[in-house]
Amino acid sequence: MSSLQVEVKSHLSPADAGIRVVPDRGTVCPTAWTECEYDQGRRSWRMPSQHTNPPLTALQLVMCGAFAGTIAKPVVSPLDVVRTRSQVLGVHSHYNNLFGAIQRIYREEGPKALFKGNGAACLRLAPYSGTKFMAYEYYKSMLADDNGKVSNAGRFIAGGAAGISAVLTTYPLEVVKVRLTLQNSATRPSSVCYNGIGDCVCKIVRHEGFRGLFGGIFPTLVGEVVYEGAVFVAYEQLKDSWSKHLRDSGKQRELTAVDHLFLGSIAGGCAQLAAYPLDVVRKRMMMASKAGTPAASPVYTSTWHCLSSMIRQEGWLSLYRGTGACLLKIVPYAAVMFAAYEQAKGCFAAYNAYARDASFVPAMSSMNAHQ
């Protein structure tokens, strides 16, 4: 009997098609191939079809997510500054008119004020986005059926769990970003002055303890479940629908960066509207300390106290204050983030396919030498 059997399984589905190599004992196969049971329990290895890309590793997914989050944040930083001040400082603040607020901040504090907290935000978003996308792919694979399909309920659960995983790893930096964003150089004598990320962390711990770095984490976790679950469901469903539309119209092509920009913006806007009230409560809670609260903001003892106080004192619409700036922010942010993530995934997939194909020829030559 030959020491090497090679069989082309062309009748299988594209995911299972490829070359199955069944060596005798002692033959070395490439580590990139998948070891599996085949032919009455004998060990075998399957090289994936040339038409399917190898899966990305966990580290590659983290790198893709980190790249996407870091690229997207600076694009929307001025809008995020206005939105945060409008949410926290309340109905009597000067930040309820979007363009007027941008002009006021620029005039009173200079152009750098429009990017306050951007360094802390990027420092947080790299591990946050990396963890989120990697965790989402992992949870999604756990919830997939035998055909690799995931229902919308499964996508929502995977997205929510990924959001929780990401928040728990990066939340203190989010608190620091909010504090730096709300710091007004024109009114520094009346509030705590932070001179950068490190100084902000030290002063929060000194005045409020380590609990101060986790203020508002409960509404944040709830909001993350709602937002991340909704945004992944919307994005994946939009991708499926748009891909089907392209196939039905006879356009046999992969989704482009422009497609991902368009689909990501819609998904981000829909998800943010669902989770926005919890985002407002979260930022109020982050500032709910005597040492760090601006003069216009009250101190809240719990999430429910914050929510009920806002409705009683400012009305239901206070839960959607800053929505305009938020949507103007989230639409380009989600668009750039998803597009950057998909492009980074494409680059890594191409690299993995190249490495896989490069390993095939020398591996086959090595096996033939044992015949």
Side-chain angles (χ1 to χ4, degrees):
M1 177 183 288
S2 171
S3 63
L4 182 65
Q5 301 173 9
V6 179
E7 182 178 2
V8 179
K9 311 296 289 185
S10 59
H11 64 280
L12 298 178
S13 64
D16 292 327
I19 300 176
R20 290 184 183 273
V21 181
V22 187
D24 281 350
R25 186 175 181 179
T27 305
V28 179
C29 288
T31 57
W33 294 2
T34 304
E35 184 175 357
C36 57
E37 291 295 328
Y38 177 66
D39 193 9
Q40 298 180 350
R42 285 190 296 167
R43 297 172 67 199
S44 67
W45 284 260
R46 176 171 62 84
M47 190 189 79
S49 167
Q50 298 291 329
H51 301 291
T52 59
N53 288 326
L56 272 63
T57 65
L59 178 59
Q60 287 174 333
L61 290 170
V62 169
M63 293 173 66
C64 290
F67 170 76
T70 305
I71 289 294
K73 176 58 184 173
V75 175
V76 296
S77 185
L79 294 171
D80 197 32
V81 170
V82 174
R83 182 195 61 155
T84 301
R85 293 192 181 188
S86 175
Q87 287 176 336
V88 175
L89 299 181
V91 69
H92 301 298
S93 70
H94 302 287
Y95 304 102
N96 292 315
N97 180 279
L98 174 60
F99 297 105
I102 292 176
Q103 292 177 353
R104 184 185 182 91
I105 293 172
Y106 183 88
R107 183 174 62 254
E108 294 183 355
E109 305 172 51
K112 287 186 178 181
L114 294 172
F115 294 88
K116 279 184 176 179
N118 189 61
C122 289
L123 190 63
R124 164 189 169 269
L125 276 171
Y128 174 87
S129 296
T131 302
K132 178 181 73 174
F133 280 107
M134 183 273 293
Y136 174 71
E137 298 290 350
Y138 173 73
Y139 295 136
K140 189 173 70 169
S141 67
M142 292 179 61
L143 297 170
D145 59 21
D146 293 338
N147 296 320
K149 301 293 185 180
V150 184
S151 65
N152 283 336
R155 290 167 175 170
F156 185 89
I157 294 171
I164 290 175
S165 300
V167 165
L168 292 177
T169 60
T170 61
Y171 192 75
L173 283 170
E174 171 68 5
V175 174
V176 171
K177 186 214 68 167
V178 171
R179 296 290 181 92
L180 292 174
T181 299
L182 290 171
Q183 183 170 254
N184 188 336
S185 60
T187 59
R188 277 185 175 175
S190 62
S191 61
V192 177
C193 175
Y194 302 120
N195 297 312
I197 297 173
D199 181 63
C200 183
V201 172
C202 291
K203 286 182 178 178
I204 290 174
V205 173
R206 185 184 311 128
H207 293 297
E208 307 162 44
F210 283 100
R211 290 185 60 183
L213 293 173
F214 293 89
I217 193 169
F218 178 74
T220 298
L221 292 176
V222 176
E224 283 298 307
V225 170
V226 175
Y227 176 77
E228 298 297 351
V231 77
F232 277 113
V233 168
Y235 181 69
E236 297 274 18
Q237 187 62 48
L238 286 168
K239 275 179 61 178
D240 292 345
S241 299
W242 188 244
S243 297
K244 183 177 182 300
H245 169 73
L246 291 176
R247 289 195 302 270
D248 293 343
S249 60
K251 298 177 181 178
Q252 300 295 330
R253 65 172 178 83
E254 297 291 331
L255 295 181
T256 65
V258 175
D259 293 326
H260 292 130
L261 283 168
F262 176 68
L263 300 176
S265 64
I266 297 176
C270 294
Q272 188 61 36
L273 285 176
Y276 193 78
L278 289 168
D279 189 46
V280 176
V281 172
R282 173 176 70 100
K283 287 192 168 64
R284 292 281 183 108
M285 291 292 294
M286 283 180 179
M287 299 302 297
S289 67
K290 294 180 180 179
T293 304
S297 299
V299 177
Y300 302 110
T301 58
S302 67
T303 301
W304 175 250
H305 178 223
C306 178
L307 185 64
S308 59
S309 296
M310 289 181 63
I311 295 173
R312 184 175 61 255
Q313 297 172 10
E314 306 172 47
W316 285 95
L317 291 178
S318 64
L319 298 176
Y320 285 91
R321 182 172 297 117
T323 307
C326 177
L327 290 177
L328 284 176
K329 172 214 167 186
I330 203 64
V331 167
Y333 174 79
V336 173
M337 182 181 66
F338 277 113
Y341 176 68
E342 295 288 358
Q343 293 304 304
K345 279 181 63 179
C347 291
F348 275 117
Y351 169 79
N352 290 349
Y354 173 81
R356 177 200 64 193
D357 297 343
S359 70
F360 177 67
V361 173
M364 290 298 295
S365 300
S366 175
M367 289 179 187
N368 290 330
H370 288 80
Q371 294 186 3

